[in-house]
Amino acid sequence: MGLVNHTTATWQLLDTKHFLHPFTDHKALHATGSRIIESAEGIYLWDSDGNRILDGMAGLWCVNVGYGRTELAEVAREQMEKLPYYNTFFQTAHPPVIELSELLADVTPDGFNRAFFTNSGSESIDTVVRMARHYWSLLGQPTKQIIISRTNAYHGSTMAGASLCGMPHIHSQGGLPIPGITHIGQPYWYREGGNQSPEDFGRAVAQQLEQKIQELGEHQVAAFIAEPIQGAGGVIIPPTTYWPEITDICRRHQILLVADEVICGFGRTGQWFGADTYKILPDLMPIAKGLSSGYLPIGAVMIADHIANVLIEEGGEFFHGMTYSGHPVACAVSSANIRILRDENIIQQVGNDTGPYLQKKWQKLADHPLVGEARGLGFLGALELVESKSKRKTYDPLGHAGAVCRDAALSNGLIMRAVGDTMIISPPLVMTREQIDELVVLAEQSLDDALTSLRN
Ligand code: PXG
């Protein structure tokens, strides 16, 4: 049982021969070879050469409770022995899916009492698109089909998810976007705010939603979707004026508001959901990642009561679902994960103690000569790398400084992501103050090393 014990070189060779990675330039990868991660504990990873790496990204924004929680493995083992699989189609359910649904109703904002399960964030987004359009059809408004998203949003890799992304390179492959999807601007003040105050800019960019609704006609628009804080786009913290304006516009125009909580959900912002932090009042909330802390693949859509009531009372059959919707093992592990977050007060700790502590230390990195802006909230952070602070001018070509800094971080034993020239972190929520100190020291060292290389 278990894996053979190859050397790094053998793993890398087999990897290049047999595995096509997601979001990867394979030719470039084959020239260098993959980094092979073999084990993890707490907030640290170990690679196949025995190097310890501080995981500043919690995997891919998901390992909220940290690595090595053996009780989650225990729950999975017990559930696999008792009922490894059964479906939730055909008027059937099982205790783990019901228990998780009830727990989710408890931790999500008031007015959310029902969950529809998927296996990933992307599938949750596709579910939202079908559900929102279906909802309006049930209310006798079948022309309300268009979903409005934003430039530089990330909503996944399925056909609808990738179409809702606002990234041109993603749309350039596979015939995207699919019909019925359009985009407005993003609240990225540092890069796009010009001379406006963050508050004025936030309001102005939110008003693009109203303009777009008027341009398309309200009778054609089903929903607006947005991440409370854009994650993969570069941890973009919206100005304080942004969400109140958006919420107001959606209410006035009768279009559904979808808060994509795949990253912000389960404590990342210091409250359970980004919707709690920004008082958003969404109609639908796709979730994934922190739902199981990445221990097993699972996603869901949380449905506000006034939407669920229409789907239930008027709906007939909703022809949508996956073999593994509400998989018993994934549900049991997710329930145990939510109890860990709740009973160990991990989210309160991020909200009241470690989050503010991280932010205070992180903001100080703005004094570094390479950093034009340091921003963040809860356990999310970003640094804008610039050649000139006063002009907000990036190094040429765009993305080079970010790649240099990311590689320097890795040499220093820290995973810090680069989105273009924006360095981002999203660490496990269980980090202690001492570990935060360690992360910030490593980040600062990596900025120093990057600056030295960029100046040579
Ligand atoms: N919505 C949001 C806001 C996300 O961040 C998805 C939906 C899709 O979830 P799945 O589980 O289908 O991946 C995501 C995923 C990155 C990166 O490079 C970000 C994500 C996934 C992979 C890479 O930052 N976010």
Side-chain angles (χ1 to χ4, degrees):
M1 295 274 278
L3 280 173
V4 280
N5 203 6
H6 287 313
T7 62
T8 300
T10 308
W11 281 128
Q12 287 174 332
L13 181 67
L14 292 169
D15 175 63
T16 56
K17 280 172 85 168
H18 301 297
F19 180 34
L20 280 183
H21 296 229
F23 276 97
T24 295
D25 176 339
H26 290 94
K27 202 165 171 187
L29 175 71
H30 289 192
T32 56
S34 289
R35 179 170 55 254
I36 311 294
I37 301 298
E38 281 191 336
S39 64
E41 180 63 38
I43 64 162
Y44 299 103
L45 307 165
W46 277 266
D47 71 14
S48 51
D49 294 326
N51 297 310
R52 191 184 85 161
I53 308 166
L54 196 166
D55 185 4
M57 284 304 297
L60 268 181
W61 323 79
C62 54
V63 187
N64 290 11
V65 298
Y67 299 94
R69 297 295 305 229
T70 49
E71 59 270 57
L72 296 183
E74 194 54 35
V75 164
R77 191 182 61 81
E78 277 173 21
Q79 187 57 46
M80 277 195 191
E81 284 174 358
K82 192 164 186 186
L83 181 73
Y85 174 74
Y86 199 72
N87 72 68
T88 54
F89 290 34
F90 314 130
Q91 307 198 346
T92 308
H94 44 68
V97 76
I98 300 168
E99 190 183 18
L100 176 58
S101 303
E102 189 195 9
L103 258 179
L104 283 170
D106 190 35
V107 299
T108 47
D110 286 348
F112 281 89
N113 286 296
R114 287 194 176 79
F116 185 101
F117 289 101
T118 68
N119 307 293
S120 65
S122 298
E123 287 177 6
S124 300
I125 298 294
D126 276 43
T127 301
V128 158
V129 171
R130 294 195 68 196
M131 194 177 270
R133 291 173 174 171
H134 179 52
Y135 166 82
W136 288 116
S137 290
L138 290 172
L139 291 182
Q141 301 190 63
T143 59
K144 280 172 89 66
Q145 291 277 310
I146 298 174
I147 318 284
I148 303 175
S149 182
R150 306 183 296 181
T151 52
N152 200 34
Y154 188 81
H155 295 291
S157 272
T158 45
M159 293 298 275
S163 296
L164 288 166
C165 288
M167 295 157 174
H169 59 281
I170 291 182
H171 290 176
S172 72
Q173 297 170 337
L176 302 179
I178 58 170
I181 282 171
T182 188
H183 298 79
I184 59 170
Q186 58 174 336
Y188 193 176
W189 176 77
Y190 183 75
R191 282 274 159 244
E192 299 177 358
N195 295 326
Q196 294 183 78
S197 68
E199 292 73 25
D200 287 349
F201 175 71
R203 230 174 272 114
V205 92
Q207 280 161 5
Q208 289 181 22
L209 177 59
E210 185 142 47
Q211 288 149 20
K212 184 59 93 177
I213 295 167
Q214 279 159 355
E215 178 192 316
L216 296 165
E218 193 175 323
H219 65 289
Q220 298 225 71
V221 181
F224 171 67
I225 183 168
E227 305 150 82
I229 294 171
Q230 282 153 271
V235 179
I236 296 159
I237 312 286
T240 52
T241 46
Y242 181 76
W243 274 111
E245 187 74 22
I246 288 284
T247 307
D248 185 48
I249 293 168
C250 290
R251 288 291 156 266
R252 274 193 280 114
H253 287 285
Q254 287 209 0
I255 71 166
L256 301 187
L257 177 50
V258 184
D260 181 344
E261 296 275 3
V262 169
I263 282 180
C264 291
F266 302 96
R268 181 82 20 227
T269 63
Q271 299 202 40
W272 275 92
F273 291 90
D276 297 319
T277 298
Y278 289 108
K279 304 191 173 32
I280 294 178
L281 305 176
D283 299 292
L284 298 169
M285 293 200 321
I287 55 177
K289 294 195 190 270
L291 168 57
S292 68
S293 284
Y295 277 63
L296 281 173
I298 182 168
V301 178
M302 294 306 299
I303 303 150
D305 292 341
H306 60 280
I307 308 288
N309 290 342
V310 172
L311 298 175
I312 294 163
E313 299 302 328
E314 317 282 337
E317 184 167 346
F318 183 38
F319 303 109
H320 184 78
M322 299 92 193
T323 302
Y324 300 131
S325 294
H327 189 285
V329 184
C331 286
V333 168
S334 297
S335 291
N337 170 63
I338 290 172
R339 283 196 203 96
I340 289 174
L341 288 170
R342 187 188 64 189
D343 300 344
E344 296 183 12
N345 293 320
I346 291 170
I347 296 174
Q348 278 97 322
Q349 193 179 306
V350 170
N352 302 329
D353 178 28
T354 48
Y357 184 77
L358 169 65
Q359 293 308 328
K360 201 166 121 222
K361 296 231 136 188
W362 189 254
Q363 307 294 336
K364 287 216 184 87
L365 295 175
D367 297 338
H368 194 278
L370 192 53
V371 177
E373 183 185 65
R375 60 173 178 264
L377 184 74
F379 262 29
L380 286 167
L383 305 172
E384 296 283 0
L385 304 189
V386 288
E387 190 172 4
S388 156
K389 287 190 189 230
S390 59
K391 298 189 184 121
R392 299 186 186 176
K393 183 182 170 301
T394 49
Y395 281 87
D396 204 26
L398 189 73
H400 176 60
V404 168
C405 188
R406 178 202 58 211
D407 293 347
L410 199 57
S411 309
N412 291 324
L414 170 67
I415 290 191
M416 176 162 65
R417 280 271 314 278
V419 175
D421 286 334
T422 311
M423 304 311 299
I424 55 175
I425 55 158
S426 169
L429 305 186
V430 291
M431 271 193 135
T432 62
R433 284 178 170 233
E434 293 70 39
Q435 290 171 331
I436 290 169
D437 292 345
E438 186 188 342
L439 179 147
V440 176
V441 165
L442 290 174
E444 190 165 15
Q445 179 63 50
S446 309
L447 290 166
D448 288 345
D449 296 349
L451 188 60
T452 306
S453 330
L454 288 164
R455 284 184 173 164
N456 282 333

